[in-house]
Amino acid sequence: ARKPRHTAKARIERVQSTAPSPVRSFADFGLPEPLSRALRDSGIDMPFPIQSATLPDALAGRDILGRAQTGSGKTLAFGLPLLARLGGGKARSKRPRALVLVPTRELAMQVADSLTPLAKAMGLWCRTAVGGLAFTRQADALNRGVDLLIATPGRLSDHVRQGTCVLSDVNFVALDEADQMADMGFLPQVREILDLTPPRGQRLLFSATLDGDVEKLVKAYLTDPVEHSVAPVTA
Ligand code: ADP
Ligand code: MG
């Protein structure tokens, strides 16, 4: 049973993964078969260190604080557990069950490119809600059904205000590039969004650095998180 959120305080279990992780294939993590197959089909066989580090805890339902640099493979580190834990359930219109928040439209598109084929393999709808693209087309797509939503905070707030997206079923949240979201001044919106999701939901926060603002976010919104840090590759 999950602990009540008010006991979260600063109890962060820290795991430093500096040494190369033991050789282990994606198949060893007990991912659903359609996900393993889709990974193989796209030529991805061996997990990167941040993925090996976070997958067991994330698949077990733990809240995660992941620290790793750009290019280390964070998208699959949060995407695979979100998709695995969503299972094959049916999309309910306007009500995503998993949410990925990213700071920019470009990052949202990159994450969507990586996760859409995997979502498809699971029979799940992956949608995006980002600024700079037609609002009504996004609203129509959301209304046709969404399981996993990849969004920027500003545009998602607009959809919530307009009633074209409802967050009350979001039991899995990933915050990607949290430090960048803080630098860009998005944390108030991020907090408003998280406040609309079930407090006992699973939360995965990834950031290259952990400054004061991100640490406050962790303390307020993650429950007994385990922190996995992966040192930058210096080759
Ligand atoms: P980050 O978000 O940490 O910057 P990404 O998740 O965007 O990193 O991954 C960087 C690149 O590495 C992407 O092109 C992605 O497809 C690729 N990649 C991620 N994980 C693996 C893996 N296990 N094996 C091979 N390529 C991978
Ligand atoms: Mg990334």
Side-chain angles (χ1 to χ4, degrees):
R2 307 284 308 269
K3 295 264 162 50
R5 194 155 295 274
H6 62 261
T7 66
K9 291 290 178 285
R11 292 209 281 118
I12 301 175
E13 180 186 331
R14 291 203 152 85
V15 181
Q16 184 87 22
S17 309
T18 42
S21 53
V23 178
R24 225 179 148 186
S25 81
F26 274 112
D28 298 329
F29 289 97
L31 292 170
E33 176 52 29
L35 270 187
S36 308
R37 200 178 327 118
L39 284 172
R40 269 200 310 279
D41 290 349
S42 53
I44 292 179
D45 298 308
M46 301 302 292
F48 284 174
I50 188 67
Q51 297 160 359
S52 304
T54 57
L55 271 172
D57 285 327
L59 287 168
R62 292 282 306 262
D63 281 6
I64 302 277
L65 169 54
R67 297 175 66 192
Q69 300 298 318
T70 301
S72 55
K74 294 189 287 291
T75 311
L76 292 179
F78 60 75
L80 291 173
L82 290 186
L83 291 167
R85 285 173 60 73
L86 276 179
K90 282 206 187 73
R92 294 176 57 191
S93 58
K94 295 200 289 188
R95 294 176 178 273
R97 293 176 295 132
L99 171 67
V100 177
L101 280 180
V102 297
T104 67
R105 167 182 162 179
E106 288 69 30
L107 280 170
M109 293 314 177
Q110 284 173 27
V111 171
D113 284 347
S114 300
L115 299 188
T116 300
L118 301 175
K120 212 172 211 173
M122 290 292 288
L124 297 167
W125 283 113
C126 180
R127 307 284 193 197
T128 52
V130 298
L133 297 176
F135 184 90
T136 47
R137 278 189 53 186
Q138 279 170 14
D140 289 346
L142 290 171
N143 201 44
R144 285 198 297 275
V146 53
D147 298 292
L148 169 62
L149 180 63
I150 299 160
T152 49
R155 179 54 67 97
L156 180 56
S157 297
D158 292 344
H159 279 288
V160 168
R161 262 195 300 278
Q162 301 284 323
T164 47
C165 186
V166 175
L167 300 178
S168 54
D169 289 352
V170 173
N171 273 304
F172 308 99
V173 180
L175 303 172
D176 191 19
E177 309 281 358
D179 45 358
Q180 201 180 327
M181 287 202 277
D183 290 346
M184 294 173 76
F186 290 153
L187 289 195
Q189 278 163 324
V190 169
R191 285 170 168 269
E192 278 174 33
I193 288 165
L194 288 172
D195 286 338
L196 295 172
T197 68
R200 302 288 187 92
Q202 185 180 11
R203 289 161 179 180
L204 314 173
L205 185 149
F206 285 81
S207 194
T209 59
L210 187 64
D211 69 1
D213 283 342
V214 175
E215 194 143 17
K216 273 185 220 150
L217 196 67
V218 168
K219 284 183 180 152
Y221 290 96
L222 271 60
T223 303
D224 298 338
V226 53
E227 175 180 334
H228 290 280
S229 311
V230 167
V233 179
T234 50

